[in-house]
Amino acid sequence: MAHLVRINHDHESTFELEKDSTTFGRDKSCDIIIDKYENISREHCGFRRYEDKTYSVTDFGSFNGTFVNGERLFEEHKLKHGDTIKICDEIELRFEDTDSKEFEILQRLQEREDELKKQQDKDKKSPKNSPGRMIDELEQKLEKKDFKSLMNEIVSETKEAQQKKKNESKDDDDFENKYTDFQR
């Protein structure tokens, strides 16, 4: 179900978008009536629900405008979960659609982030080579350097490790040759 949450007020107000078409304004015929602000038009804007359960907002030619994520509307605008809607300078709302894919993805990301934080806290108490500690060290390096220089450093360290391994392998071959010569 989708709803609008008022976010610039002392207490959160929620307006459910239960109908296929919901009007917003000062007029008594509107579905959501906000009559204490003169800057809001009698019929300011409207919200529409489509068959595919997506939503849009349209400004009805109001003088003071309707804005989505800071952009003034001049035509119908499809809404996404988390969009901010501003009705003139008076009312700011957040569009929340708990049935949307965006909401589901954000929920999963939040759950994953919480899991990672728990793992990092656990890893900080464990040995130096734990994944969480290694991620923290990488993040610290990234903060200090730009990505390109960090990648160059990693490539350089990798080449050094490969050269060292190659030298060790060569030393092993030399030892085998000397040992074989000694046995003859």
Side-chain angles (χ1 to χ4, degrees):
M1 175 60 87
H3 54 268
L4 302 167
V5 178
R6 185 164 182 191
I7 54 177
N8 67 331
H9 201 261
D10 294 339
H11 62 281
E12 281 192 0
S13 305
T14 302
F15 306 102
E16 299 295 332
L17 298 176
E18 298 169 336
K19 298 170 26 177
D20 288 339
S21 179
T22 305
T23 56
F24 190 103
R26 288 183 299 132
D27 195 83
K28 301 293 181 212
S29 66
C30 291
D31 299 302
I32 300 173
I33 303 166
I34 306 291
D35 58 1
K36 76 180 208 179
Y37 298 107
E38 289 291 322
N39 290 339
I40 295 176
S41 297
R42 284 188 293 276
E43 289 185 357
H44 197 93
C45 63
F47 298 88
R48 183 171 176 196
R49 178 176 57 196
Y50 291 91
E51 286 182 22
D52 64 356
K53 296 188 179 173
T54 58
Y55 292 82
S56 70
V57 61
T58 303
D59 184 86
F60 293 152
S62 67
F63 183 76
N64 291 307
T66 303
F67 303 80
V68 175
N69 301 325
E71 298 290 322
R72 186 169 185 160
L73 296 184
F74 294 101
E75 57 187 33
E76 182 178 28
H77 180 86
K78 285 251 181 182
L79 291 169
K80 295 184 306 262
H81 175 78
D83 279 348
T84 302
I85 301 147
K86 196 167 187 182
I87 312 296
C88 57
D89 287 332
E90 304 295 345
I91 296 180
E92 194 168 356
L93 307 161
R94 182 178 53 247
F95 174 73
E96 295 184 353
D97 185 1
T98 55
D99 294 332
S100 71
K101 289 180 182 179
E102 291 93 353
F103 179 79
E104 185 179 326
I105 291 167
L106 286 171
Q107 286 293 104
R108 284 191 207 157
L109 285 172
Q110 185 62 50
E111 289 168 5
R112 184 67 182 132
E113 184 179 331
D114 293 345
E115 289 172 17
L116 286 172
K117 283 181 181 177
K118 286 178 187 175
Q119 184 63 43
Q120 284 178 340
D121 289 343
K122 193 185 292 185
D123 290 343
K124 286 179 182 177
K125 299 171 187 168
S126 62
K128 184 177 182 179
N129 292 332
S130 66
R133 174 93 29 114
M134 291 165 63
I135 289 170
D136 285 345
E137 289 173 4
L138 183 60
E139 285 176 347
Q140 289 172 0
K141 283 183 180 181
L142 278 170
E143 287 175 7
K144 294 177 185 172
K145 299 180 181 184
D146 65 22
F147 183 74
K148 188 174 182 179
S149 64
L150 182 62
M151 289 306 295
N152 288 336
E153 186 178 312
I154 291 170
V155 168
S156 176
E157 289 174 5
T158 304
K159 286 181 180 177
E160 287 174 16
Q162 289 173 338
Q163 186 63 41
K164 185 177 178 183
K165 193 172 187 179
K166 195 176 189 181
N167 290 342
E168 289 173 357
S169 177
K170 185 179 177 196
D171 290 344
D172 289 345
D173 289 345
D174 288 346
F175 178 76
E176 276 186 44
N177 290 337
K178 288 180 184 176
Y179 180 74
T180 306
D181 288 344
F182 178 74
Q183 283 184 335
R184 289 189 202 161

